[in-house]
Amino acid sequence: MTTLVLAEQRQGILASTVPHIVTAARQLGGSVTLLIGGSRGQQAAKTAARLTGVTTVLLLPDDTTTDPLPERLAQQIVQWMAVDHLDTVEQIVAAATPFGHALLPRLTALLDGSLVTNVMAINAPDSVTKPIHAGAVLVTRHLMRSPRLMTVTASSFTAAAEQEHRSATVITLPTLTMPTQATESWRLRPTSFQASHSNAQADLRSAAIVVAGGQGVASCGSFAIIEELARQLGGAVGATRSAVDAGVAASDWQIGQTGKIIAPKLYIAAGISGSLQHLAGIKDAGTIVAINHDPQAPIHAIADFSLVADLFQAIPALMTTLKQLATRPG
Ligand SMILES: Cc1cc2nc3c(=O)[nH]c(=O)nc-3n(C[C@H](O)[C@H](O)[C@H](O)COP(=O)(O)OP(=O)(O)OC[C@H]3O[C@@H](n4cnc5c(N)ncnc54)[C@H](O)[C@@H]3O)c2cc1C
């Protein structure tokens, strides 16, 4: 039995979610094969091959695009599986990211399998747990039909370690010719790639520390105070939808029901009220620190440490203390 992990890469760099998805795949049992598409997959494949638990890395070369399009990649995978792997691949796993959510429904339809999205725990190869109603309820789903496909919330699983002295076999698959009717159905063509400016410090989905700001920060017209604290702590920047809507935070910083689901060890929420939609994104966070000047704000009820204070006074004081601690001898 094989679990196929569909690994995302951008411009040859393996996505930070992949080591987490490998852990989820290992919990499903059997061998773990990783598949990477796109013309610059070699570099990402080298990193992927060192991940603990990965048996084989398959490179699906595609000279037409550096970052594979879901509709094209789905058809290539199905073609590859049709050659002789249809019986051995029991599970197909990808990260619960736009990449995974665009690719897996297409694959499910083409392979006539069963699909569950946003999996946060694996109970058995055919039984998984996922949140619904903005995380207020957890449900168990049974995947009745093989192959079983799932998108997995990366932050719910620890990252598989990179090994220094061992590497899985990397196999480059032959380029497959697409049937004309398949290529005619493609509706998208990549024209350019532009990295967003945001979160230069760390990836929000896999960061151990996240500093997030809400409307209380946005009201001053800048997110600089949050970015500075995140930089100082070596963490990632997060935001509420209100802060994104106010135009001071990037949209890919949004955490919550319609944003990212994260599970950092430390989550600092500044000027955030704690709406249900926001809390849906931090259910698996470790220690939650709330800085909010309203003692009645709902965020205080779920926080491990509450600071009822003005964030524009509390955060600079915190940064000064951190600097002093960092420079203190011993
Ligand atoms: C369908 C749907 C989906 C949604 N999805 C999401 C989502 O994914 N993520 C998300 O975040 N929201 C989402 N929302 C919006 C959500 O309902 C809330 O409106 C939003 O989370 C509130 O953001 P906030 O906490 O920043 O703002 P507010 O609720 O306005 O809270 C601001 C807080 O800052 C405090 N504050 C103000 N000034 C200071 C200061 N100087 N010092 C300290 N504290 C201060 C205030 O006391 C207040 O508690 C969604 C809504 C809907 C309807």
Side-chain angles (χ1 to χ4, degrees):
M1 183 179 79
T2 300
T3 297
L4 186 65
V5 173
L6 305 180
E8 187 171 359
Q9 60 96 9
R10 284 272 174 267
Q11 307 285 298
I13 313 250
L14 193 70
S16 61
T17 49
V18 176
H20 300 262
I21 308 308
V22 167
T23 301
R26 290 182 76 193
Q27 291 180 13
L28 288 163
S31 63
V32 175
T33 295
L34 222 128
L35 187 141
I36 301 177
S39 67
R40 291 200 203 155
Q42 294 90 338
Q43 197 186 323
K46 273 190 203 154
T47 316
R50 288 200 301 272
L51 294 173
T52 306
V54 174
T55 325
T56 314
V57 176
L58 302 174
L59 254 177
L60 200 53
D62 184 347
D63 291 340
T64 58
T65 172
T66 49
D67 306 313
L69 280 178
E71 53 190 350
R72 188 179 168 86
L73 189 56
Q75 279 167 345
Q76 285 177 314
I77 293 167
V78 170
Q79 248 195 329
W80 166 74
M81 285 179 70
V83 178
D84 60 358
H85 296 85
L86 212 48
D87 298 334
T88 52
V89 175
E90 292 273 330
Q91 282 93 218
I92 302 180
V93 188
T97 59
F99 169 82
H101 286 145
L103 183 57
L104 260 60
R106 290 178 159 92
L107 267 178
T108 308
L110 292 168
L111 295 168
D112 199 18
S114 48
L115 170 69
V116 177
T117 56
N118 297 313
V119 169
M120 56 179 287
I122 288 160
N123 316 312
D126 61 351
S127 168
V128 295
T129 301
K130 67 167 284 179
I132 59 169
H133 301 311
V137 179
L138 299 181
V139 288
T140 298
R141 294 262 198 257
H142 287 277
L143 294 109
M144 311 293 280
R145 193 189 279 260
S146 188
R148 298 178 280 266
L149 296 95
M150 50 193 92
T151 65
V152 169
T153 306
S155 52
S156 299
F157 297 86
T158 55
E162 259 189 57
Q163 304 174 110
E164 267 187 43
H165 305 295
R166 203 201 133 267
S167 180
T169 318
V170 179
I171 300 170
T172 304
L173 300 173
T175 312
L176 303 167
T177 320
M178 289 283 142
T180 321
Q181 70 269 29
T183 54
E184 277 170 358
S185 69
W186 293 338
R187 288 163 199 192
L188 299 171
R189 187 167 57 86
T191 52
S192 68
F193 174 86
Q194 199 179 349
S196 85
H197 74 286
S198 59
N199 259 2
Q201 304 96 330
D203 181 353
L204 191 52
R205 277 203 180 89
S206 51
I209 299 175
V210 172
V211 183
Q215 184 59 37
V217 180
S219 58
C220 86
S222 160
F223 232 51
I225 194 166
I226 298 296
E227 292 181 69
E228 205 180 325
L229 179 57
R231 203 174 303 118
Q232 202 173 344
L233 291 170
V237 175
T240 62
R241 185 156 127 182
S242 300
V244 172
D245 290 346
V248 295
S251 59
D252 64 345
W253 291 349
Q254 187 179 317
I255 295 161
Q257 184 186 338
T258 45
K260 286 179 177 149
I261 294 175
I262 60 166
K265 288 199 175 91
L266 173 64
Y267 182 69
I268 301 178
I272 291 177
S273 61
S275 68
L276 269 183
Q277 292 86 358
H278 183 74
L279 299 185
I282 57 163
K283 276 175 15 56
D284 288 335
T287 302
I288 297 175
V289 177
I291 307 172
N292 191 311
H293 63 193
D294 175 7
Q296 304 301 326
I299 190 88
H300 291 307
I302 61 113
D304 298 287
F305 296 96
S306 277
L307 196 54
V308 180
D310 186 317
L311 70 95
F312 296 104
Q313 289 170 7
I315 292 181
L318 178 61
M319 288 194 289
T320 306
T321 308
L322 287 169
K323 267 184 207 141
Q324 284 166 352
L325 286 173
T327 53
R328 208 163 63 179

